[in-house]
Amino acid sequence: MALARYKSIVDDYAARIGSGKLRPGAQLPTLRKLMQEHGIALATASRVYTELEAHGLVACEMGRGTFVRDTSLPRGLGLEQQTLQSGAVDLIFNYPCLPGQDEMLREGLRCIASSGDLDALLHAAPQGGRPHERQIMARHLRNRGLRLPAEQVLIINGAQQALAVTVQALLAPGDVLVMDALSYPGMKTLALSARLDVEALPLAEGKLNLPALAALCKRRPVRAVYVMPTMHNPMGTVMTDAERQQLAQLAQKHQFLIIEDGAYAFLAEPAPKPVFTYAPEQTVYISGLSKSVASGLRIGMLAAPPALIPALETAIRVTSGNTPSLMIALACLWIEAGVVDELEMRKRKDARQRQRLARAALHACKLTAHPGSYYLWLSLPEGLRAEQVTASLALQGIMVATAEAFTVSVAVPHALRLAIGSVPLATLEQALANINEACMP
């Protein structure tokens, strides 16, 4: 009877949240009130809120209470983002957030509110940020192996906008852009919208195919190469130092631009030097805080050679104008206070724990992943179609991405890309067990 009572309370709250009767931000009764209203024990009341939190319907904040989450959209960021059914397990988008980050935000905002020059935050920042803010971002990029003056670093609205600004400023319709046959969907969509001539190279052991690139450069005038040398998305691979040097040599020989995406590079430990260090006059390096800190903190960093900075600043001006001053202030505060370093360290540990769990749960599957990444590539056995597997998993409330979104070439492999950085570990373990069963031939 106690079990039925507990489930009925959970189902009632879930229905009221799903229908909109309980709106996002609404505070739920305290545990004591919940006990009194339903005549239940403390353990049962706690279990009700724990269950609702596990399904992503509420947020329990220490010392403040329990609040309804906004379930209209998944909390991640991505292209063609779809509304998820209530309680669904989202393994499509990564928005890794660790316990206590909400309190970090509260404390950060308090520090900003008590700072001296609040009036400055009411005014628009210059394109690329103020000089002292760019200096802070330049110091942060030392964690990635980059030592640059502030003048070569621009602050922007996230890594995705940094890619868009780079394309708008430095490429033209019809230019040849080289990408891996499996690559980041945001860049693929961006290249198509910019009417670039995309050449997809087959991967070599999950990495940029350098011999194929060298052969292509002899046949066509390559304008740019988009590469994720550290923590390739979706394969999780890391290029060696020798491979990075070879890519830089090809860029210098054939005079093409390297667009280096380091969005997930913080997860690699130790990480090789960026390609930028080998070809500093022909590389644009892009990073951000969406993965290492929080998806809602839309702060990106774009490092480029001095000759390209004016064109990039112009592209920022005609797209977003600038990055919100308050967001920059918070990011700079957290960088200087060591908060970003702490979060990156904790997330490296978290990612490795999740990868160990995934390897144990997906014992019957063929997977490709770095032991420290927040995602993995799951190749399906012969005769099993990706659409069938995703449909079957969706009926169980588990949402996964097929290879289609990541495929740049014509041939789409039957595979899944799982983002494992967002859901609670217990929920992830059960979801992966269901995926393992669904992927058995």
Side-chain angles (χ1 to χ4, degrees):
M1 180 65 70
L3 177 62
R5 182 65 175 148
Y6 142 75
K7 287 295 293 180
S8 68
I9 298 173
V10 171
D11 291 344
D12 176 61
Y13 271 113
R16 289 160 64 190
I17 293 171
S19 67
K21 291 181 179 178
L22 282 174
R23 296 185 176 183
Q27 185 170 8
L28 271 58
T30 63
L31 288 175
R32 184 177 296 277
K33 281 190 176 181
L34 191 68
M35 292 165 58
Q36 294 172 346
E37 287 177 9
H38 296 279
I40 55 178
L42 175 61
T44 304
S46 298
R47 190 177 177 187
V48 168
Y49 284 171
T50 300
E51 180 80 5
L52 290 170
E53 186 174 33
H55 285 291
L57 299 176
V58 304
C60 300
E61 300 185 13
M62 186 69 68
R64 295 189 69 237
T66 302
F67 300 86
V68 176
R69 281 193 182 280
D70 185 352
T71 60
S72 61
L73 287 175
R75 286 168 283 164
L77 295 173
L79 297 170
E80 300 179 10
Q81 185 168 285
Q82 301 296 316
T83 302
L84 297 184
Q85 64 191 63
S86 177
V89 180
D90 180 9
L91 300 184
I92 298 176
F93 298 104
N94 267 324
Y95 37 92
C97 198
L98 300 174
Q101 282 196 232
D102 53 348
E103 188 55 41
M104 288 180 180
L105 175 59
R106 192 170 288 112
E107 179 60 28
L109 293 175
R110 277 198 290 262
C111 288
I112 291 174
S114 61
S115 65
D117 190 11
L118 275 182
D119 180 66
L121 302 184
L122 297 176
H123 300 278
Q127 283 80 42
R130 299 174 178 86
H132 73 280
E133 296 164 339
R134 292 167 71 171
Q135 183 63 57
I136 291 171
M137 295 299 172
R139 288 199 298 268
H140 175 67
L141 286 176
R142 293 178 185 176
N143 293 346
R144 306 288 178 267
L146 290 176
R147 290 186 172 273
L148 298 168
E151 293 76 18
Q152 284 185 244
V153 178
L154 299 172
I155 305 173
I156 201 164
N157 291 300
Q160 180 63 39
Q161 199 210 0
L163 289 173
V165 163
T166 301
V167 168
Q168 179 168 331
L170 308 178
L171 278 67
D175 280 349
V176 176
L177 172 70
V178 175
M179 295 180 64
D180 295 319
L182 294 171
S183 191
Y184 170 52
M187 188 61 185
K188 181 181 77 170
T189 304
L190 175 61
L192 294 175
S193 66
R195 294 179 293 166
L196 301 178
D197 187 349
V198 177
E199 281 277 2
L201 296 182
L203 290 166
E205 298 181 345
K207 294 181 280 188
L208 179 66
N209 193 325
L210 292 168
L213 175 60
L216 175 64
C217 288
K218 293 178 181 179
R219 300 195 315 269
R220 303 200 65 190
V222 172
R223 175 68 185 96
V225 174
Y226 171 72
V227 63
M228 295 170 284
T230 307
M231 291 295 183
H232 182 282
N233 182 12
M235 307 307 292
T237 49
V238 178
M239 292 175 66
T240 65
D241 285 320
E243 290 167 335
R244 292 163 194 253
Q245 292 179 49
Q246 187 178 348
L247 173 59
Q249 290 166 1
L250 285 172
Q252 290 157 2
K253 179 180 180 180
H254 297 283
Q255 291 298 297
F256 60 72
L257 178 73
I258 299 171
I259 303 173
E260 183 176 6
D261 188 339
Y264 281 102
F266 74 96
L267 290 172
E269 190 181 37
K273 293 181 181 179
V275 176
F276 190 105
T277 61
Y278 299 108
E281 298 304 315
Q282 291 169 269
T283 305
V284 171
Y285 183 88
I286 290 167
S287 185
L289 300 182
S290 295
K291 305 302 181 186
S292 62
V293 179
S295 60
L297 190 60
R298 303 304 298 164
I299 294 293
M301 288 151 275
L302 192 159
L308 301 183
I309 293 296
L312 292 166
E313 288 179 327
T314 298
I316 295 172
R317 183 167 62 251
V318 300
T319 53
S320 64
N322 51 53
T323 302
S325 297
L326 179 59
M327 300 292 280
I328 299 177
L330 181 62
C332 289
L333 172 70
W334 277 352
I335 289 172
E336 291 195 297
V339 173
V340 174
D341 288 344
E342 177 192 348
L343 287 173
E344 289 183 352
M345 178 189 68
R346 289 173 60 191
K347 289 186 180 184
R348 282 191 288 269
K349 293 180 179 179
D350 180 58
R352 289 184 177 274
Q353 181 181 6
R354 290 169 183 270
Q355 282 289 344
R356 289 193 295 269
L357 186 153
R359 280 166 167 73
L362 298 170
H363 55 82
C365 301
K366 180 183 177 182
L367 61 90
T368 302
H370 188 281
S373 75
Y374 268 131
Y375 42 85
L376 57 89
W377 187 259
L378 200 159
S379 300
L380 298 179
E382 189 71 29
L384 201 58
R385 299 184 63 82
E387 296 80 6
Q388 295 172 331
V389 176
T390 54
S392 172
L393 291 172
L395 292 175
Q396 303 174 56
I398 303 171
M399 314 306 293
V400 299
T402 68
E404 184 175 3
F406 299 86
T407 303
V408 182
S409 59
V410 176
V412 180
H414 285 286
L416 307 177
R417 188 268 202 176
L418 308 183
I420 61 174
S422 306
V423 299
L425 287 172
T427 304
L428 176 63
E429 185 173 23
Q430 182 58 60
L432 292 174
N434 292 351
I435 292 172
N436 184 70
E437 184 176 347
C439 293
M440 288 183 180

